[in-house]
Amino acid sequence: RSLRDYVLSGLGDWRMVSDGRYKLVTGYGETGQDMLFDLEADPLENEDIAGNAASEVKRLGAVLL
């Protein structure tokens, strides 16, 4: 494991949290909907899997609170 369990970032209305495997982005774009990426399976972040991984969205979203 790395020095940090989570990496956090944000700008304006959007926020990002990553645990190294998953990356959650909230508040980005016109809709501001959550986007989740599996960085191991999709390192270029082409496929938003938030609709299929609600438990990961909830887990990482709790870190942002």
Side-chain angles (χ1 to χ4, degrees):
R1 195 91 195 172
S2 67
L3 179 63
R4 299 179 191 181
D5 290 331
Y6 301 99
V7 174
L8 302 167
S9 186
L11 181 65
D13 292 333
W14 71 268
R15 299 289 177 265
M16 182 281 299
V17 58
S18 176
D19 65 0
R21 166 85 192 262
Y22 294 101
K23 177 178 178 180
L24 176 67
V25 179
T26 64
Y28 182 78
E30 291 180 21
T31 62
Q33 71 185 41
D34 293 340
M35 295 182 292
L36 181 71
F37 302 98
D38 181 340
L39 300 176
E40 287 182 10
D42 178 25
L44 298 178
E45 302 175 18
N46 291 315
E47 184 181 354
D48 175 8
I49 62 167
N52 298 324
S55 62
E56 293 299 332
V57 171
K58 183 177 179 179
R59 179 180 67 85
L60 290 173
V63 175
L64 293 174
L65 297 178

